Amino acid sequence: MDIEAQQAAGALATQVTWAFAPGGPLAESDPSYVERDAQQQLALAVAQAIERREALVVEAGTGVGKTFGYLVPLLLSGQRALVSTATKSLQDQLFLRDLPRLRDALRMPVTLALLKGRASYLCLHRLDQARQSAQLPDRWAVRTLAKVETWAQATTTGDLAEIEGLDERSPVIPLVTSTRENCLGAECPQYYKCHVMKARREAMAADLVVVNHHLFFADMALRDSGVAELLPTVDAAVFDEAHQLAEAGVQFLGTTLGSGQVIDFARDMLAAGLQHARGLAPWSDLAAGCDRAARDLRLAAAGPMRDVRGIVKLRWEERSTLALFKDSLAALDAMCRQAAEALDTVSEIAPDFPKLQQRALQLASLAGRFVQPCADGRVRWIDLTPLQLRLVESPLDIRDMLTEQREAAPKAWIFTSATLGDDEALTWFTASAGLEDARTLKLNSPFDYAAHARLWIPQRFPKPNDGAHPPAVAALAARCAVALGGRTFVLTTTLRALQQIAATLREQLAGHDIQVLVQGESPKRSLLQAFLSRPSSVLVGSQSFWEGIDVPGEALQCVLIDKLPFPPPNDPLVEARVKQIEAAGGNAFMAYFVAEAAISLKQGGGRLIRSETDRGLLVVCDPRMAQMQYGKRLKAALPPMTPLASEDDALAWLAELAATRDAPF
């Protein structure tokens, strides 16, 4: 142990050391507990940050045990705390599994609370409305609504995650949940039974509250979920999976006008008008006008693009100067104001109408804002999907916001992840978050990568921009999968490459008893379940499979990455960041593109080895990593896997893994 660190951290360090000791409470509560030096280093660093009320940034490699590393000192400190993580599923894991287990082991009388965004909770008022007036698209939606109604009678939390098998994409969810725009607040007839308000009250009364990054930043921007009221009252704020913090912040600290917002408003206005004020205003015409204005704006933004697939990002300058686009924005503004005037005439009839009027005026105001020039230090772009449009104005990073929060009240600010940079100072993260003054700590994984993992970079391979590259990746993936008997991930950098590689891979594996699972053909959870239930599988996935996927053991023993994951240079946000770096005299390629690729590569490669006994092969199908000077930096960012020189070596390693796995003893 680091004696100086223990002394610096004071009494809390003594408690932390006791908790992690071989005869301590963690070992007593878990017979499989293994003492880890790196985990204790992390815990002592967190203890010091809590007692000193300082900022700490920690990169803890896979296997360090970072969750317990920060939770143990947090619980033992007895101080009020906020823990934020990347997703709702990780929230549930912390709240339902990790925290209760540690609280019981440490015998700490700590009250816990889970706080999610509005869209995670049933709205009783909107459920009543859905019963009466919802127009459901198919019989599956009808069944889902019935399932929600049955569950609603028994739930005490209103958290939709309790409903087994509920698809997050179900059209029923927006009908039975509230948004900031359509919530009636204290005017709601179900206000005193409101699940959202109950969750907030419990959060304000708890010793430790678990939130997610999206909720944290959305609330900082909108003051809508209770986090802004909670944050000043806590003594420590911990951000797990902190590598996702900047992008979550940029997304929610910006300003957005979406065609979906307008269409939802039109639907709600029509339902309320016909239910409470039929005949007092031309509700059908007003709703149709708003709906049409939103769709016309999307068509104006799409321009000559008729076949939009996935999400297309357009530069603001590509459309903002066109007369049709300007006219469509003005028409949307006018239509929303017309709706607001009609809603004002019936504002006293039902509490829905004043709220609907506010929504109409807000939408009109947003349309007017996007007619004006973009503010300094921000960037605008257009997100286009097959059915929707989003106009976005965003800051370039989260520096100003986090600095403001850190200065507002002294507390411990702790940021941790398995991937925060490729240098000791963790510059990739600290620079974007304004945390250059924070203490940094880098803890390497305890896994024996040199013995258990191999890295192969094919040098005689088509270049990434060559049309022969996707088929070559698929053919190589097929050879690897055959040698191993499946148990393979293929991670792509684009959805287009995903489709090309998946199609060719299926052709290559025809005649072999190996199934090919492809992102987009089933929900993510279903794909993972199918992969785990049948080991002779290859899963082809894009960005959502590069991180947050944990497949330990022999189920996954080969990961192929199609090409180096550089940010797309034509992305408007990327372009703005590049201009910012170059204006300051920096080298945008090394400071931004290579740094981002290093982080993504660590995330993707990190899917391979998830436990002390895992063994496998990582293949990066991009010869630039071996041939270009910056390739050395990218290789150094990966765990120290043993490099291989040829495909024969790679296939021999896979054959060895297969033979070892299938051996009778």
Side-chain angles (χ1 to χ4, degrees), residues 195-480:
H195 292 299
V196 173
M197 295 307 299
K198 179 174 180 284
R200 291 183 188 175
R201 288 193 298 271
E202 290 175 351
M204 290 303 296
D207 299 311
L208 192 151
V209 184
V210 182
V211 301
N212 62 65
H213 301 338
H214 290 162
L215 177 66
F216 177 83
F217 282 110
D219 199 69
M220 292 301 105
L222 302 173
R223 299 295 192 270
D224 179 52
S225 65
V227 177
E229 290 75 25
L230 177 67
L231 191 59
T233 71
V234 302
D235 303 298
V238 178
F239 296 87
D240 197 357
E241 302 297 327
H243 65 282
Q244 295 191 25
L245 206 56
E247 292 308 312
V250 164
Q251 178 182 350
F252 283 95
L253 295 175
T255 301
T256 302
L257 172 60
S259 58
Q261 290 172 264
V262 182
I263 292 168
D264 287 348
F265 159 73
R267 180 195 62 209
D268 291 347
M269 175 176 62
L270 178 62
L274 295 180
Q275 183 178 353
H276 300 295
R278 186 183 292 269
L280 299 183
W283 302 118
S284 296
D285 292 344
L286 290 168
C290 290
D291 187 288
R292 184 170 55 253
R295 298 182 192 278
D296 287 348
L297 180 60
R298 187 207 165 275
L299 290 173
M305 299 174 60
R306 288 291 175 261
D307 185 20
V308 177
R309 297 182 180 182
I311 299 177
V312 177
K313 267 189 167 64
L314 299 175
R315 296 182 185 89
W316 183 251
E317 296 75 17
E318 292 181 50
R319 297 291 186 267
S320 61
T321 58
L322 300 180
L324 180 60
F325 184 76
K326 290 180 177 179
D327 291 346
S328 297
L329 264 177
L332 178 61
D333 184 343
M335 199 65 236
C336 288
R337 293 188 186 282
Q338 188 177 336
E341 291 174 4
L343 290 162
D344 185 48
T345 65
V346 294
S347 61
E348 296 182 1
I349 293 178
D352 304 67
F353 292 123
K355 195 66 179 181
L356 284 165
Q357 185 188 17
Q358 290 177 22
R359 288 171 68 184
L361 292 173
Q362 183 185 31
L363 290 168
S365 176
L366 285 170
R369 173 169 180 161
F370 279 100
V371 171
Q372 303 302 317
C374 184
D376 291 339
R378 298 172 80 85
V379 60
R380 279 183 185 170
W381 70 87
I382 300 170
D383 281 340
L384 206 59
T385 70
L387 298 175
Q388 300 285 340
L389 158 91
R390 285 199 326 146
L391 310 183
V392 184
E393 180 178 308
S394 165
L396 301 186
D397 53 46
I398 59 174
R399 290 179 61 91
D400 292 345
M401 178 272 177
L402 266 187
T403 300
E404 179 184 335
Q405 291 299 323
R406 288 176 60 202
E407 291 174 349
K411 61 170 60 68
W413 292 84
I414 297 153
F415 306 85
T416 184
S417 171
T419 312
L420 289 176
D422 63 337
D423 60 352
E424 290 299 320
L426 305 176
T427 307
W428 175 83
F429 177 74
T430 56
S432 65
L435 287 161
E436 292 91 345
D437 61 325
R439 180 189 172 197
T440 58
L441 178 63
K442 192 169 184 177
L443 299 169
N444 293 326
S445 170
F447 298 161
D448 189 351
Y449 284 96
H452 292 170
R454 302 291 184 267
L455 169 65
W456 180 45
I457 306 166
Q459 296 195 42
R460 295 182 178 179
F461 207 79
K463 294 181 179 179
N465 59 356
D466 189 327
H469 185 264
V473 172
L476 176 56
R479 294 194 293 274
C480 290

Side-chain angles (χ1 to χ4, degrees), residues 113-115 121 155-159 162 190-205:
L114 180 68
L115 186 60
Y121 296 101
T155 182
T156 57
T157 68
D159 187 345
E162 294 176 356
Q190 300 280 5
Y191 180 72
Y192 293 103
K193 297 179 182 178
C194 176
H195 292 299
V196 173
M197 295 307 299
K198 179 174 180 284
R200 291 183 188 175
R201 288 193 298 271
E202 290 175 351
M204 290 303 296

Side-chain angles (χ1 to χ4, degrees), residues 164-183:
E164 189 173 347
L166 179 63
D167 190 338
E168 292 183 352
R169 301 168 297 180
S170 170
V172 171
I173 291 179
L175 299 177
V176 298
T177 58
S178 69
T179 65
R180 175 175 177 266
E181 290 78 17
N182 63 32
C183 174

